[in-house]
Amino acid sequence: LRPAPAGSGIVFVRTDLGGRRIPARIENAGPSFYATVLQKDGAAVSTIEHLMAALYAMQIDDLDVELDAGEVPILDGSSKPFVEGILTAGFREHDVERQYIHVAKPITVTHEEKRISVHPCPEYRVTYAIDFDHPALGYQELTASLWREDQFVEKIAPARTFTFEHEVQALRDRGLALGGS
């Protein structure tokens, strides 16, 4: 992770592809299967979600993420190792005012049985709920105010990726979850 000039945003740099740059922007979103993928000009990077969550929560806006492969390391399956690494490395402040998006009206996106909604709110608060017909999971819900860095560090960052045993082979057939247990 290397500090970048103000206004450059988060950019994934594929060092194994001669330094090809893939900005983390919506227009570079690629097709995905159990991972978030960015692609540009034939280069791609996947499994960016845990790192991107950590960068957002730590309010890091401008960064080059150098990778020598097409996937961000999964580490322990959470954002926690990224948060710990960022906190250890420290921050470099820019002398530029941060810009924010303000949600003016509710927005909901639904896909099959999944739904995400964004609502106007005076703070950045997230409520997440899952409901699985499985004795180890069932219904779970968490609300956290992410304006407070400690809420992300304590409540969100340790949340780990999981899957069901019956889904593992399909993941491995696609070259995913190879380090999972």
Side-chain angles (χ1 to χ4, degrees):
L1 305 180
R2 299 194 183 280
S8 60
I10 308 297
V11 179
F12 290 86
V13 181
R14 291 286 306 271
T15 61
D16 60 320
L17 298 177
R20 303 268 295 276
R21 299 175 66 79
I22 309 168
R25 302 183 52 83
I26 191 68
E27 60 266 21
N28 295 331
S32 63
F33 179 79
Y34 281 84
T36 304
V37 176
L38 294 173
Q39 61 184 22
K40 183 176 183 194
D41 300 328
V45 62
S46 67
T47 321
I48 67 167
E49 53 272 14
H50 300 293
L51 174 59
M52 291 298 292
L55 296 176
Y56 185 81
M58 301 287 101
Q59 298 184 35
I60 296 173
D61 300 321
D62 303 301
L63 188 73
D64 282 351
V65 179
E66 295 182 355
L67 297 167
D68 62 1
E71 184 176 32
V72 173
I74 195 69
L75 304 177
D76 75 347
S78 79
S79 289
K80 187 176 179 182
F82 294 113
V83 169
E84 290 169 346
I86 291 164
L87 291 173
T88 298
F91 301 85
R92 181 181 295 165
E93 296 284 331
H94 287 304
D95 212 10
V96 177
E97 188 173 330
R98 179 175 277 122
Q99 296 181 358
Y100 295 91
I101 294 173
H102 296 280
V103 177
K105 63 181 183 178
I107 301 167
T108 300
V109 177
T110 303
H111 177 70
E112 297 172 356
E113 294 181 2
K114 300 170 187 147
R115 182 181 72 229
I116 187 167
S117 299
V118 179
H119 299 268
C121 185
E123 66 176 343
Y124 181 35
R125 183 175 60 221
V126 172
T127 298
Y128 184 78
I130 61 172
D131 191 5
F132 287 98
D133 185 20
H134 190 281
L137 298 170
Y139 180 84
Q140 298 180 45
E141 183 177 317
L142 172 73
T143 297
S145 174
L146 298 185
W147 271 3
R148 294 182 41 206
E149 181 181 298
D150 65 319
Q151 292 277 300
F152 181 84
V153 171
E154 294 171 15
K155 293 184 174 184
I156 306 292
R160 297 185 64 188
T161 297
F162 71 91
T163 191
F164 294 104
E165 190 172 4
H166 69 272
E167 298 171 327
V168 170
Q169 193 57 51
L171 291 168
R172 292 197 171 143
D173 289 347
R174 293 175 180 247
L176 300 171
L178 300 178
S181 62

